[in-house]
Amino acid sequence: MNEETHEGQGPEGKSEDKPVTDAQDGSVAPAAAPEDPAAPQSPAVAEDAGTPGPEGPRPSFVRRLLRSRTVRAVTAAAVAGALVGAGAVAWRTDTLPLLGPAPCWDSLGDGSMKSLFGDRRTEVDEQALQTDPMGEGGTYGQCRITSYEGDRARRQVTLNVRRLDGLRGTDSQSWPGEFLSAGMVRLGDGLPGMVSASRAWIALPQACTGREEFTGPTVVDIGMGRADFEVSSEYTLKDRNALTGALLDAANGVIKSFGCTGTYQEPRTLPAPVKWDATKASAFCGIKGLTLPQAYREELRQVRVGGEGGPARVCEAGTSSRESSVRLTTVVDPALSEIFGWDSLRSGTAVRGTGGYGKVGANRAVYRAVCQTGPVMLIVEQLRPAGKGSRFTFTSDLLADYVAAESERIGCGPQKLRDAES
């Protein structure tokens, strides 16, 4: 799918229902509503009870016909029936609204659709929200929306509802590569999720979805185009806002479909977009006390840090902003940390520390620290060869220092690795 030319569309305001968040005891508690929420006004047709004014020109037959509710219902049903027979549902923001459910589990309103697709014709391919009998409950459903300009597809957005796996490690690689990147920022306002200009996700309340041991949270995620595709800051802001609005619409629709109550409310503001900066070797990735080894300084010249204050803090470094060679991730959300549980036990050479344990592999090292707030995962990854001889030695060279400095930064120290065990 080619990247489309961006068009400015503002996000829709959200309802005044308070968001649901997970309390310490696992129950659903209402979070404080943002100040001055942008509540949408429902259109209404006001009837004038006064004396009618002078009669204007009589509307044409076509206009009088379109005013008939019966005719509109029959017309919409006929159009929808023809589209369903073709295997898709069309949704246009510049026409009369089709009767029946909104796209993606009756969740995406006109505002979200317009923010994402403007006035283009769209087609929706939607799966029902139900667990896959062959997938052991990991996937609930997918919804894909494609917009068209004439016959040419211009933009495609995909929504997924899934329970992230921690028992077998199936979600510890590809999903974090897309949805835990350094280009993402926290949603804020107590919302358990992250967003960039191309990806966004939010965890559903555990009191609604439940969570078994060794499993991650159930999330709604949304993707548009290539992950980490970067454009100007103007388009980045517009796309982040559009994805945030659509994500929260979808999450609230899924919560309702699951038979739960409560809604997430759109955050008042998002943090500024993440930018690349020159590497500070004495405080690598902005972590006091973490020194970048001399062997990597020539190649790891640029660095960016995303997710500050959210479920995960992610740092990426490389030769330039177009290519990341290493990634350092700190996952502080206890449920989200479980997706790396398999790697901390069964992937590489065992290491132990004063307050945790982990594994060191060729291109990934994972350490599980036991903190006052629950388990925290510290992950060091080498994505491309780096250093002298272009070898994969970064994970073993940096893990001990990263664990010590980062655990101190987040208040989980002291954590000191002992010698590796064979």
Side-chain angles (χ1 to χ4, degrees):
M1 176 66 60
N2 295 329
E3 303 296 342
E4 76 155 330
T5 302
H6 290 72
E7 296 182 1
Q9 300 291 345
E12 176 192 32
K14 300 297 167 189
S15 68
E16 293 183 319
D17 292 334
K18 294 183 179 180
V20 290
T21 56
D22 292 328
Q24 295 295 326
D25 59 358
S27 62
V28 179
E35 298 175 0
D36 298 325
Q41 300 296 324
S42 300
V45 179
E47 296 184 0
D48 188 356
T51 303
E55 183 177 357
R58 184 175 177 80
S60 68
F61 173 75
V62 174
R63 289 183 179 274
R64 283 184 281 124
L65 191 63
L66 287 175
R67 288 180 181 178
S68 167
R69 292 190 178 184
T70 303
V71 171
R72 282 188 298 178
V74 170
T75 302
V79 174
L83 291 168
V84 170
V89 175
W91 188 273
R92 258 190 95 118
T93 57
D94 61 346
T95 61
L96 290 172
L98 294 180
L99 302 180
C104 301
W105 315 295
D106 197 18
S107 64
L108 299 187
D110 291 341
S112 289
M113 293 294 289
K114 190 173 182 64
S115 294
L116 287 172
F117 306 109
D119 291 332
R120 297 193 186 107
R121 174 178 63 87
T122 58
E123 292 183 1
V124 181
D125 184 9
E126 179 180 323
Q127 294 176 335
L129 287 175
Q130 57 186 5
T131 55
D132 180 359
M134 301 299 292
E136 300 186 23
T139 302
Y140 288 96
Q142 182 183 92
C143 181
R144 184 176 59 204
I145 311 173
T146 308
S147 68
Y148 292 86
E149 188 172 19
D151 294 332
R152 181 187 176 189
R154 295 302 304 270
R155 168 173 281 186
Q156 189 171 87
V157 171
T158 303
L159 281 149
N160 289 286
V161 182
R162 49 186 156 193
R163 174 168 293 177
L164 298 177
D165 168 59
L167 183 61
R168 300 167 186 81
T170 57
D171 287 322
S172 67
Q173 296 281 349
S174 60
W175 193 87
E178 287 194 57
F179 293 97
L180 291 183
S181 86
M184 306 188 79
V185 300
R186 71 183 189 279
L187 286 174
D189 287 348
L191 297 171
M194 302 172 71
V195 63
S196 70
S198 61
R199 296 291 186 273
W201 66 271
I202 191 168
L204 298 176
Q206 293 180 34
C208 175
T209 63
R211 188 170 75 88
E212 299 176 2
E213 191 176 9
F214 305 118
T215 62
T218 299
V219 301
V220 178
D221 60 53
I222 184 171
M224 178 173 65
R226 189 172 75 247
D228 280 335
F229 178 71
E230 295 185 0
V231 291
S232 70
S233 58
E234 177 186 358
Y235 291 136
T236 295
L237 291 172
K238 290 178 180 178
D239 287 346
R240 288 195 325 174
N241 288 338
L243 285 180
T244 299
L247 174 70
L248 295 178
D249 272 359
N252 290 334
V254 173
I255 290 172
K256 183 178 180 181
S257 296
F258 284 174
C260 302
T261 58
T263 57
Y264 285 132
Q265 193 169 39
E266 190 169 338
R268 290 165 289 184
T269 59
L270 292 172
V274 180
K275 295 182 178 180
W276 289 87
D277 201 356
T279 297
K280 295 180 180 179
S282 59
F284 186 51
C285 289
I287 302 172
K288 182 180 178 181
L290 180 60
T291 301
L292 180 65
Q294 185 67 42
Y296 302 101
R297 295 183 184 181
E298 182 178 350
E299 294 186 42
L300 305 182
R301 298 193 297 266
Q302 296 287 312
V303 66
R304 64 175 180 172
V305 179
E308 293 273 17
R313 181 184 191 270
V314 188
C315 171
E316 293 174 351
T319 304
S320 69
S321 60
R322 295 183 298 274
E323 183 176 272
S324 298
S325 298
V326 301
R327 180 187 294 130
L328 279 65
T329 305
T330 303
V331 183
V332 297
D333 181 84
L336 187 63
S337 71
E338 287 296 334
I339 68 176
F340 298 100
W342 172 276
D343 290 351
S344 68
L345 291 170
R346 302 178 179 273
S347 181
T349 303
V351 293
R352 289 196 174 275
T354 54
Y357 57 86
K359 291 281 187 174
V360 180
N363 65 338
R364 173 182 273 192
V366 179
Y367 182 83
R368 185 181 189 272
V370 180
C371 303
Q372 298 89 337
T373 57
V376 171
M377 289 292 183
L378 306 173
I379 304 105
V380 179
E381 297 175 273
Q382 185 170 351
L383 310 175
R384 293 176 176 83
K388 294 182 178 180
S390 296
R391 296 178 298 175
F392 280 85
T393 56
F394 185 80
T395 56
S396 57
D397 288 346
L398 205 70
L399 179 64
D401 290 343
Y402 178 52
V403 167
E406 181 69 338
S407 60
E408 184 70 22
R409 185 188 70 83
I410 64 176
C412 189
Q415 296 276 343
K416 185 177 180 180
L417 266 64
R418 304 189 185 104
D419 293 335
E421 300 174 359
S422 58

